[in-house]
Amino acid sequence: MSEAIQQPNYFEFYGLPIQFNPDQNAVKAKFYALSKQFHPDFYANESEEKQQEVLDLSTLNNKAYQTLSNPNKRLKYVLELKGIVATDEGYQLPQSFLMEMMDINEALMDLEFEPDAEKLTQVKRDVEAIEKGLKDELENLKIQFDQDPEKSEALLPSMKDNFYRQKYIDRIRERL
């Protein structure tokens, strides 16, 4: 297992609780406030160390905002922050899901050899239905997590599983 890289806690930096759906107005307000506070022009007469420190904080602020304002980046970030998802992890998807994907992959292979607009439309519909199911499940888990952070740890394995199934679907989407 590779050593986890300690990444900055953007929620802590913004003074917000760790959530999958943080208040976006609060995120934006904090971003603008810190952008002003750490603007390099205000530190032009400071020492090089101080200028570098302000530049680092300004960069951290930009990264925090990019992550916390984007639902997909935020999902991955929170799961990594909680130590649930590792960058180069080989995650074992559930057998039932893999069987379902095998059918879709076989249909896609058939379509490469014998293009069929009707069959392609059906495969796209199947993939969209799976995707919608995953998104609905994830939204439900996010809401539960944000409402009750004390019991939220128990939800993380399900969220991790959903995250990796979604990644698999994204790869299939690229082939469609």
Side-chain angles (χ1 to χ4, degrees):
M1 193 79 184
S2 64
E3 183 70 23
I5 297 166
Q6 186 56 47
Q7 54 179 320
N9 185 327
Y10 299 144
F11 291 99
E12 217 171 77
F13 185 63
Y14 276 10
L16 298 170
I18 295 175
Q19 292 183 316
F20 286 97
N21 296 309
D23 177 354
Q24 286 303 303
N25 291 329
V27 169
K28 204 173 286 181
K30 200 66 179 172
F31 171 71
Y32 288 124
L34 293 175
S35 291
K36 280 184 193 150
Q37 185 181 339
F38 301 130
H39 198 284
D41 291 352
F42 297 137
Y43 298 88
N45 298 327
E46 297 287 338
S47 67
E48 247 179 74
E49 291 83 23
K50 184 66 178 174
Q51 286 181 21
Q52 186 58 51
E53 180 188 327
V54 168
L55 186 65
D56 291 345
L57 287 167
S58 178
T59 302
L60 177 63
N61 186 37
N62 287 322
K63 286 181 179 172
Y65 183 71
Q66 287 168 6
T67 301
L68 298 183
S69 63
N70 178 309
N72 292 336
K73 286 181 181 178
R74 192 171 55 238
L75 170 66
K76 184 174 190 284
Y77 175 73
V78 172
L79 291 174
E80 286 174 348
L81 203 58
K82 290 286 187 179
I84 283 293
V85 168
T87 312
D88 52 1
E89 174 179 19
Y91 181 69
Q92 187 58 53
L93 288 159
Q95 205 56 44
S96 57
F97 179 76
L98 292 173
M99 294 303 284
E100 198 176 357
M101 293 303 103
M102 196 167 79
D103 293 342
I104 288 175
N105 281 316
E106 282 175 7
L108 286 174
M109 277 186 353
D110 291 347
L111 285 167
E112 283 174 23
F113 295 110
E114 282 180 54
D116 177 339
E118 240 176 81
K119 194 173 182 181
L120 180 61
T121 303
Q122 186 54 52
V123 171
K124 282 183 180 176
R125 265 195 226 116
D126 293 346
V127 170
E128 282 167 12
I130 294 166
E131 216 169 12
K132 183 180 176 349
L134 286 171
K135 283 195 166 110
D136 291 349
E137 176 188 313
L138 183 61
E139 262 331 291
N140 189 17
L141 289 166
K142 284 179 181 179
I143 290 166
Q144 288 179 56
F145 182 97
D146 289 352
Q147 283 173 346
D148 191 356
E150 295 303 309
K151 293 182 182 153
S152 64
E153 298 298 313
L155 300 171
L156 291 171
S158 298
M159 296 178 110
K160 175 181 184 170
D161 185 65
N162 183 295
F163 174 78
Y164 279 107
R165 284 186 288 156
Q166 187 63 55
K167 279 180 82 155
Y168 193 101
I169 291 291
D170 291 345
R171 285 195 298 272
I172 285 181
R173 223 269 177 261
E174 287 170 14
R175 290 178 61 194
L176 284 173

